[in-house]
Each structure stands twice: as C-alpha cells, then as structure tokens.
Amino acid sequence: ISDRTGFRNVWEINVASLGLRQITSGPSWDQYPVVSRGGRLAYVSFGHQVDLYSIGSEPPHAEERLTFHSGENFMPSFSPNGRKLVYQSDRTGNTEIHLLDLDTKMERNLTDQPGPHLTPDWSPDGREIVFISSRQGKPQVWVMDWEGGSPRLLTSHTVPADPRGWTTGPMAPRWSPDGKAIAFRVLTESKDALWVVNSDGSNARQV
C-alpha cells in the first residue's frame, strides 16, 4: 500500500529487481490486499461505503466490485482454489464472517452467533477457517469448517481484538504454509507477544 500518488492504492514490488508497479488507482483508500494462488487480487476500498473489490494482477487489471451491502466489509481471504472468499461484515449490526462464492455470487453467513467475529483466514488445504470470536465473552482464536460448521476454540488465550472490527487487521491469526500451525498475538497486562499453536490446539507457545 502506498500513498505516493496522493491516494492510498495497491502497488506491486518485484522482489528481485525492486521495481514498482501500481495496481489500483483513483481517489479511494485501498487496504488489506490478498492474492489468490491464481494471481487475482482482492482488497478493501474505503469510500462512502466500505466494500470488497477484485482485480487481476496482470494488465488490463479488470476491476470487479464484490460486495453491495451497507456497513463495512473487511479482511478478505481467498480459498486455496481462488473461487471463494471469506470476509467480515457488520451488515447485520453484528460483525460476522461471510462466505462469497465468486462463481455464483451467492453469499452465506458462517457465524450467526453473538460476536463479534473477525479476521478470517482460510487453511492451506481449504478445509477450515481460523478467525477471532468473542462468542464466549472475550476475543479468542477459533477454527471452523469452511462451511461454518463445528466451531472449536483453538486456545484459551485472549487476543487484542477491537470489537469495532476494522482496526483488528494486524491482530489476525494466520496459518503456516503447511497448515500444521497457527500464529496469533496474545495481550497481557505487561506485554503483547507472538504465539504459535498447533492446528489441533496443542502445544501453544510464545515465540
């Protein structure tokens, strides 16, 4: 993300040559870019309404608006095959995790529970989604099936999540590339630390 043009847009950097290429443009405030394995980009565009957009990583960069809801839609994560997205939205008055099928445009609420539910991330094998939930009164790391079933508390640690949702991006739990572990942040009275836990909930440790 760079504001070198006067607006906050998405840019690409070539890690070998360090060359820069602008991906999005215009008077928006673009944030939280994620890239599918097939090379498509999803990102949040701030305006009078906060929605998700998709754009190809190669020219001509055809842009597509993905959400058309009142409220704020944040923190997209692609399925491994790039054909679905999960994201958080407060369209119901409670911040919840929604699933969007990019082929059919059908959507479904995956967390119809007291919340908020924040920052979903799809597992590398496509079977599960990790997210932050306050369904037990405090923000903790949870895992559920990709269709929203069988939610389970991954660790009893409290994570530093803001109930407003949109400021929680830097706190998002994330899968390791092999899907065997999940990294998350823990907030105590004395420190804010990075932790890792096995995907079955065992061996939580500070790193």
Side-chain angles (χ1 to χ4, degrees):
I1 303 297
S2 174
D3 58 3
R4 65 183 59 215
T5 61
F7 302 105
R8 187 163 294 186
N9 296 127
V10 179
W11 288 67
E12 176 189 77
I13 182 169
N14 186 303
V15 295
S17 68
L18 301 184
L20 294 175
R21 184 163 63 95
Q22 186 173 355
I23 301 297
T24 66
S25 60
S28 57
W29 192 33
D30 302 330
Q31 289 276 31
Y32 306 121
V34 293
V35 182
S36 73
R37 292 178 182 176
R40 194 153 184 86
L41 176 78
Y43 63 97
V44 175
S45 181
F46 287 75
H48 294 293
Q49 181 171 317
V50 182
D51 280 298
L52 301 184
Y53 287 77
S54 175
I55 191 169
S57 58
E58 299 297 329
H61 302 309
E63 185 178 78
E64 179 185 6
R65 182 174 170 180
L66 301 178
T67 57
F68 298 84
H69 310 288
S70 59
E72 298 179 339
N73 305 281
F74 281 95
M75 303 305 299
S77 176
F78 278 107
S79 62
N81 65 10
R83 297 174 65 179
K84 293 179 175 62
L85 274 176
V86 286
Y87 65 99
Q88 69 181 55
S89 175
D90 65 358
R91 73 187 70 164
T92 64
N94 180 40
T95 303
E96 300 180 275
I97 307 300
H98 291 258
L99 171 69
L100 170 63
D101 188 307
L102 296 174
D103 294 328
T104 66
K105 310 306 179 187
M106 298 294 292
E107 295 191 68
R108 190 157 57 86
N109 185 343
L110 301 183
T111 56
D112 191 11
Q113 298 281 336
H117 311 281
L118 310 166
T119 65
D121 188 42
W122 218 305
S123 66
D125 64 8
R127 295 179 179 179
E128 295 184 303
I129 293 166
V130 66
F131 61 106
I132 295 174
S133 175
S134 298
R135 63 181 63 199
Q136 291 188 350
K138 58 183 179 180
Q140 296 169 304
V141 180
W142 287 71
V143 173
M144 62 181 169
D145 295 344
W146 76 268
E147 293 181 300
S150 305
R152 58 184 172 89
L153 180 64
L154 187 68
T155 171
S156 61
H157 293 86
T158 300
V159 296
D162 188 321
R164 292 174 296 176
W166 63 271
T167 61
T168 304
M171 314 302 174
R174 289 292 179 257
W175 295 88
S176 62
D178 61 8
K180 294 181 178 180
I182 293 170
F184 62 101
R185 290 173 67 177
V186 173
L187 180 64
T188 66
E189 293 181 358
S190 60
K191 59 185 175 182
D192 178 1
L194 179 65
W195 284 62
V196 172
V197 62
N198 293 346
S199 57
D200 63 2
S202 65
N203 193 26
R205 64 271 190 196
Q206 182 178 332
V207 298

